Amino acid sequence: MTNNTEGRSAFISGGSRGIGKAIAIGLAKSGSNIAINYTRDKEAAQETVAEIEALGKIAKAYQGNVADFEDCQRMVNSALNDLGEISILINNAGVASRGSLITDTNPEEIRKVIGIHVFGTHNLCHLLVPQMRAAERGDVIMISSVATESLSGRGAPYNMAKSAQEAIAFTLAKEEKVHDIRVNIVGPGLVETDMGKRLVKATRGVEDIRELDKGSPFQRVCQPEDIADAVVFFCSEDAAYVTGQRLYVNGGSF
Amino acid sequence: MGELDGRKALVTGGSRGIGRAIVRRLASEGADVVINYHSNQKAAEEIASEVRKLGKKAEIIMADVSDQSEAERLATESITALGSIDILVNNAGIGATAVGRPHVATASPDDFYRLMAAHAFASHDLCRMIVPQMRESTRGDVVMISSIAAQSFGPTGGTYAAAKAAMEAVAYSLAKEERGNNIHVNIVAPGLIETDMAEMMVKFQGRVKDSINELAADSPFGRLGYPEDIAGSVAFLCSERASYITNQRITVAGS
């Protein structure tokens, strides 16, 4: 198995819980030191840091809102200071939208959701990619969503945000290929996270997400580790010639 | 201990190029392998003996998969050789160069049929013969080795692209039909990879004089794609790490 990121350092936005946490742990297991960003849940961030340290890797957590450029500057400077060169960036931080029709969607909500997914992603690329060009290899992974394919109703802010985030990825892949930087997208469907649980409760009245196992692909709801495995693959030697790609991890898009 | 311990694979066109790298990688992860070849028995024996040195079973079976009865025989003999097959890699193919890279309007119906038979009918025949017994396994995987031709649709590649597009259609349909049987179906689409077939193509196109490696410096990441790059994605897709992935295509082209 050559899914190895030994000696590298990774910055994971929204890395304290859910998918981001699984990615942080997955990359640490494959050999990386880890910087995670979190916004509110300091306790969860500290727990994730402790779990990574227990794996024998360096882990640091930085509080900040990725939509805020100055917050990003502060977090990135601290991370570069603490970990040295960062050659893996995972743009994972995100929020769901409220499920309104476009005609009922408050413009403020659109700005907020796009702020985190799109401006947050650009902020971190802007701050981290230049120093990544000096690395032996760089990887930027966007955690998008199958929403970019389904573009369902009552999801405009999220659909808009994820589509724009993917546009950054496909463009960045072309721009940075000469610097040995790969840019890829992992698109989860429904995953058992706090966000996923809230989603099925709000849209389908499901109290326990595991009730959905039976009707799910391969008889189980997707786990954060499924997403992490795909991310680690993209960052590994096995995917050295893979860039500008989007992989949906959702048990098939149907 | 490998990720594919106990798995049993059939790789069509497994003696050379991309297929050979896939065979080597699947075996190094623990799988027993049937290596199908068409013309180069010596190459097939070489890679088979490499697999056996890894402590894994290897069988070589000659068959032209573009011939329905031979594809059927290959499937039956493969299942007999290893007891069952739970990984099928549809890799065997012929390049557009083999039929002279014609424009769609000038391609002969016979040449077009050859390409369709090698990629689309062969894939269907092997799936039809192999997948039913795969349903009995804990997990099954079918991987189609397609091509970026089915995305770029460049001139003089139309008949080849049509064959690969039809092959991909088999994959996307099969993924939906067999998910309930825990069978994963995915596509790996190589770009320009350093193989004999690709070298023939770029020479035919007049893009190089002597060697495909003349293109390396201007290629993504300053190198050509290697057969091992394709094998890396195939191994990932067949592993536990990809147990929630089906119906997907990974393009391995540095772009």
Side-chain angles (χ1 to χ4, degrees), chain A residues 111-162:
Chain A
R111 280 162 185 70
K112 183 186 167 217
V113 175
I114 289 204
I116 294 169
H117 293 269
V118 185
F119 298 138
T121 291
H122 180 254
N123 287 343
L124 291 171
C125 289
H126 180 82
L127 291 165
L128 280 167
V129 167
Q131 57 88 43
M132 210 181 267
R133 294 177 186 142
E136 205 177 303
R137 166 181 179 161
D139 287 275
V140 178
I141 312 277
M142 312 296 182
I143 305 305
S144 180
S145 161
V146 290
T148 58
E149 190 175 75
S150 54
L151 297 171
S152 307
R154 297 185 174 274
Y158 191 77
N159 295 344
M160 291 161 73
K162 285 307 192 190

Side-chain angles (χ1 to χ4, degrees), chain B residues 94-96 101 115 119 145-166 168 187-192 197 201 205 249 251-253:
Chain B
I94 52 175
R101 297 195 68 85
L115 291 170
H119 300 102
I145 307 302
S146 180
S147 164
I148 50 164
Q151 297 166 57
S152 59
F153 296 107
T156 79
T159 47
Y160 177 79
K164 287 302 197 188
E168 292 195 2
I187 298 163
V188 177
L192 190 67
M197 186 173 121
M201 176 182 80
Q205 293 172 318
R249 178 178 66 194
T251 299
V252 184

Side-chain angles (χ1 to χ4, degrees), chain A residues 17-20 22 189-200 209 221-225 227:
Chain A
R17 294 181 299 153
I19 290 173
L190 179 67
V191 182
E192 187 177 352
T193 59
D194 293 342
M195 189 168 131
K197 287 175 190 164
R198 275 200 303 271
L199 180 77
V200 295
I209 196 170
V221 172
C222 187
Q223 297 299 302
E225 291 72 23
I227 310 305

Side-chain angles (χ1 to χ4, degrees), chain B residues 39-111:
Chain B
S39 52
N40 196 334
Q41 184 176 342
K42 190 165 164 282
E45 279 168 356
E46 268 170 26
I47 181 66
S49 94
E50 235 186 273
V51 169
R52 291 185 196 113
K53 275 183 200 143
L54 293 166
K56 293 293 150 192
K57 285 185 197 156
E59 296 282 340
I60 65 168
I61 300 177
M62 198 281 288
D64 174 0
V65 294
S66 66
D67 180 299
Q68 184 185 326
S69 62
E70 290 204 36
E72 289 173 354
R73 176 179 56 78
L74 170 64
T76 309
E77 289 182 9
S78 298
I79 294 164
T80 305
L82 297 181
S84 62
I85 296 291
D86 59 19
I87 296 176
L88 167 62
V89 182
N90 284 306
N91 165 74
I94 52 175
T97 317
V99 298
R101 297 195 68 85
H103 284 92
V104 170
T106 52
S108 83
D110 284 351
D111 285 345

Side-chain angles (χ1 to χ4, degrees), chain A residues 46-65:
Chain A
Q46 285 170 336
E47 205 179 295
T48 302
V49 164
E51 281 183 49
I52 293 167
E53 285 172 344
L55 294 166
K57 292 291 162 191
I58 300 169
K60 302 282 179 192
Y62 308 100
Q63 193 280 329
N65 175 4

Side-chain angles (χ1 to χ4, degrees), chain B:
Chain B
M1 280 297 286
E3 288 194 289
L4 302 176
D5 278 341
R7 307 284 305 267
K8 298 162 192 299
L10 164 60
V11 181
T12 67
S15 66
R16 294 187 297 157
I18 291 172
R20 186 188 188 104
I22 294 170
V23 168
R24 184 183 288 128
R25 181 63 192 271
L26 296 181
S28 71
E29 299 293 349
D32 296 327
V33 190
V34 173
I35 301 153
N36 154 250
Y37 70 101
H38 180 208
S39 52
N40 196 334
Q41 184 176 342
K42 190 165 164 282
E45 279 168 356
E46 268 170 26
I47 181 66
S49 94
E50 235 186 273
V51 169
R52 291 185 196 113
K53 275 183 200 143
L54 293 166
K56 293 293 150 192
K57 285 185 197 156
E59 296 282 340
I60 65 168
I61 300 177
M62 198 281 288
D64 174 0
V65 294
S66 66
D67 180 299
Q68 184 185 326
S69 62
E70 290 204 36
E72 289 173 354
R73 176 179 56 78
L74 170 64
T76 309
E77 289 182 9
S78 298
I79 294 164
T80 305
L82 297 181
S84 62
I85 296 291
D86 59 19
I87 296 176
L88 167 62
V89 182
N90 284 306
N91 165 74
I94 52 175
T97 317
V99 298
R101 297 195 68 85
H103 284 92
V104 170
T106 52
S108 83
D110 284 351
D111 285 345
F112 185 36
Y113 189 91
R114 274 183 70 198
L115 291 170
M116 288 297 291
H119 300 102
F121 303 153
S123 294
H124 174 248
D125 289 332
L126 288 162
C127 289
R128 181 170 52 81
M129 297 294 291
I130 297 281
V131 166
Q133 55 88 50
M134 211 180 255
R135 296 178 186 137
E136 309 302 317
S137 300
T138 319
R139 168 179 176 160
D141 286 274
V142 177
V143 181
M144 308 289 190
I145 307 302
S146 180
S147 164
I148 50 164
Q151 297 166 57
S152 59
F153 296 107
T156 79
T159 47
Y160 177 79
K164 287 302 197 188
M167 181 198 207
E168 292 195 2
V170 173
Y172 290 125
S173 302
L174 188 70
K176 296 172 183 79
E177 292 172 2
E178 299 297 332
R179 186 171 68 186
N181 297 311
N182 208 25
I183 294 172
H184 300 66
V185 186
N186 292 291
I187 298 163
V188 177
L192 190 67
I193 305 294
E194 188 184 21
T195 60
D196 295 345
M197 186 173 121
E199 186 160 75
M200 261 169 41
M201 176 182 80
V202 294
K203 279 184 181 165
F204 185 91
Q205 293 172 318
R207 290 161 67 189
V208 301
K209 228 172 114 234
D210 302 312
S211 158
I212 191 172
N213 282 303
E214 292 162 36
L215 297 174
D218 292 330
S219 294
F221 307 113
R223 66 171 177 89
L224 294 169
Y226 303 133
E228 290 72 21
D229 291 313
I230 310 306
S233 285
V234 173
F236 166 69
L237 288 169
C238 295
S239 76
E240 256 323 286
R241 292 180 285 143
S243 62
Y244 215 68
I245 297 175
T246 190
N247 200 40
Q248 301 304 310
R249 178 178 66 194
I250 300 179
T251 299
V252 184
S255 61

